[in-house]
Amino acid sequence: MYSTLEGAKKSAKSLHRLFDESGLIYPLSKCQLAIAKAGGFQHWHDLESNLSAARQPAAAEAYRRRLIAALPEPCRNPVRAWFADEPPPDPPIEGYPARWYRDVYPYLAAVTKLHRRTPLLRPGSGRGQQLRELLVYELLLNLKGGAQPPPRLEADTLAFCFRGDLEALYPEQIRHPDFERELARLVEAKILDWRFGMMRVLPPAGDVEAEMRERKAGMAQYWTETSGEAGDHERLMAIREALAAIGVNHALRIAGAIAEQGSDAYTTPSGAMLDLLSRLAAEGELETFARAVDLAAKIHPQNAAFVRGKAPAKIASNYFGARLKLPLQDFTAWTNENPDWPDRLIDDLSSPDLFRRTVDTMAEQVRGAAA
C-alpha cells in the first residue's frame, strides 16, 4: 500500500523485482498500472494526477484483492506468497531465478504436454515432423543438455522466451538441410516467434491454465495421502506448491492444516483446519476462508460435512464478534429473525467471492437492525 507518489513508484518497482525473481516477464509499466488499480485509480496517470497526502490509503484487504485481480494469472502466485510473508522456497537450481521452479515450471510442464497435441508437431504430420518437434522441445526441455539460461515466461501471453542467436539456440539442428524451411513453417503456424534475438515458444491451442491447475490439484491429492515416503517438510512444501498453483491465498498455511489432518495434537481429526479457519476469520480473510473449507472438503471428503458445519460458528465468533465487534445482543436478535443464516453461509462456501459478499451483507444487516 502507499499514500504518496514515491511510495507508489517503490511498490511498482518491488512488484517488478518480485516477478523477475520468479522468472516472469512483466514490464514495469504494467506493474505500475496494477499498483494504480490496487489503490483505486484507473491508471498510472490518474494516480499521478489525483494522489495526495490527504487521501486515505486503500484498506489492506481491498488493496490486496484489487492488485491480484489486476494481474495475469502467472503473477498471482508470487503476489499471494508476498502478501502472506512466506519464506523463500528451497535453494533453486543453480543459475535459475529463486522462485522459478515454484512459479514458472508448472507452466512449462503444461505447455510441453499440450504442444504434443499441436497438429504440426504430432507424429505422422508429414515430412520434417521430427525436426519440427526438436526445434520446439530442444528449447523447452533443453534436450541437448548442458548449461542453458532458464526459459522465462511472458505472464500475459504464456509464451516462453529464449535469448540468443540461432546458432546458440540450435547448435546441431541449424546444420540440417531443412532447418530454415521447418523453422519458417513453425513461425508461420504461430508455434514459434523469432525476432530481435529472441525465440518465443508460443502457447498451444489448449487451456494452459486448466492443464496446470489439474496437474497441481492431482499433486495436492497425492501428497496429502502420502506418509512415510517423504519428509514432513517435503510433503508440506509439495502441498503448498500445488495449492498455490491452483490459486489459493495463504497456500503455505492451508497446506500445513491439510497436512496435519488426523494429528494427535488436536481433539478432532480436522482440528488443524478448524484452528486455521478461526484465524482466517479473525483476520478478515473471508475468500481464503471459503477456499480453505472447499479444499479441505475435496481432499478429505470423509470430514467435509463436519468442517462445513463448523464454518458459521467460526464466522460468528471470530469475524462478527472478534473482528467487527458486533454487539452480541444485536447479533442474537438478528439471528432470531434470520434462523436460516448458517445454511445460507454454508451454501455459499463453494464461491469465495459470493461467500465474502454474503458475510458482509449479514454484518450490515446486523448493524442496520440495531440502528
Side-chain angles (χ1 to χ4, degrees):
M1 293 182 292
Y2 52 86
S3 58
T4 66
L5 179 58
E6 188 61 30
K9 290 179 178 179
K10 289 182 178 178
S11 295
K13 290 178 180 178
S14 295
L15 196 63
H16 186 256
R17 184 167 55 251
L18 178 73
F19 297 147
D20 188 61
E21 291 173 353
S22 291
L24 293 167
I25 299 174
Y26 201 64
L28 179 60
S29 60
K30 293 185 178 181
C31 292
Q32 291 174 330
L33 175 60
I35 289 295
K37 288 184 175 181
F41 300 95
Q42 291 185 336
H43 43 69
W44 187 256
H45 180 67
D46 181 25
L47 182 153
E48 289 181 311
S49 301
N50 297 304
L51 180 64
S52 66
R55 181 187 176 107
Q56 289 293 321
E61 184 180 356
Y63 179 87
R64 291 196 298 267
R65 187 168 62 249
R66 287 197 295 251
L67 178 57
I68 289 173
L71 294 166
E73 191 63 39
C75 292
R76 295 176 181 179
N77 184 16
V79 171
R80 289 186 180 103
W82 187 31
F83 281 144
D85 197 27
E86 291 186 4
D90 291 335
I93 304 169
E94 185 177 355
Y96 277 54
R99 298 175 176 84
W100 183 89
Y101 190 80
R102 186 188 70 186
D103 297 329
V104 171
Y105 177 75
Y107 286 92
L108 181 68
V111 165
T112 300
K113 179 179 177 180
L114 289 175
H115 258 316
R116 296 188 186 280
R117 307 172 192 169
T118 299
L120 206 57
L121 300 178
R122 283 203 305 255
S125 57
R127 177 185 173 188
Q129 180 270 330
Q130 291 185 344
L131 177 58
R132 292 192 297 274
E133 189 177 48
L134 276 174
L135 295 182
V136 174
Y137 295 127
E138 172 75 34
L139 298 179
L140 292 177
L141 303 178
N142 189 20
L143 296 177
K144 66 178 180 292
Q148 173 178 296
R152 291 184 173 262
L153 177 66
E154 287 183 350
D156 48 0
T157 69
L158 300 186
F160 277 96
C161 301
F162 304 81
R163 288 198 175 276
D165 57 29
L166 293 178
E167 180 76 33
L169 294 172
Y170 300 111
E172 296 179 9
Q173 289 79 14
I174 198 170
R175 294 172 177 78
H176 194 287
D178 296 331
F179 173 81
E180 291 187 5
R181 184 192 68 203
E182 297 305 333
L183 177 61
R185 291 186 67 186
L186 290 170
V187 171
E188 183 180 4
K190 296 188 180 350
I191 297 170
L192 296 180
D193 177 61
W194 167 244
R195 65 181 76 185
F196 309 122
M198 178 183 288
M199 184 69 76
R200 299 164 70 235
V201 179
L202 303 179
D207 190 335
V208 175
E209 295 285 357
E211 173 65 32
M212 186 270 297
R213 287 193 297 269
E214 181 179 350
R215 178 177 179 272
K216 285 295 186 177
M219 289 179 62
Q221 181 75 46
Y222 168 78
W223 281 102
T224 56
E225 296 171 352
T226 299
S227 61
E229 299 177 16
D232 290 341
H233 177 69
E234 181 183 356
R235 182 167 174 255
L236 173 64
M237 295 312 297
I239 297 172
R240 183 259 171 235
E241 303 305 335
L243 299 185
I246 296 169
V248 182
N249 290 331
H250 298 281
L252 184 58
R253 297 170 70 186
I254 297 175
I258 290 174
E260 287 191 75
Q261 176 74 15
S263 169
D264 293 337
Y266 300 91
T267 58
T268 174
S270 299
M273 179 57 67
L274 296 179
D275 183 60
L276 174 62
L277 294 179
S278 294
R279 285 180 278 127
L280 290 174
E283 294 165 11
E285 295 283 354
L286 298 178
E287 292 188 22
T288 304
F289 180 102
R291 286 185 179 274
V293 174
D294 191 51
L295 282 164
K298 290 176 180 176
I299 293 174
H300 297 298
Q302 70 275 15
N303 298 94
F306 176 76
V307 174
R308 287 179 179 275
K310 293 291 185 181
K314 298 294 181 183
I315 292 296
S317 175
N318 298 285
Y319 186 70
F320 291 151
R323 184 173 181 83
L324 299 186
K325 302 292 192 294
L326 297 180
L328 178 60
Q329 63 271 23
D330 295 343
F331 178 68
T332 302
W334 178 84
T335 60
N336 290 335
E337 295 293 325
N338 298 272
D340 65 336
W341 74 273
D343 295 330
R344 288 159 54 196
L345 281 186
I346 292 172
D347 288 343
D348 291 345
L349 279 167
S350 59
S351 174
D353 179 65
L354 178 59
F355 179 77
R356 174 181 55 80
R357 288 187 278 115
T358 297
V359 172
D360 286 342
T361 297
M362 289 180 175
E364 289 302 315
Q365 290 174 353
V366 173
R367 293 189 182 101

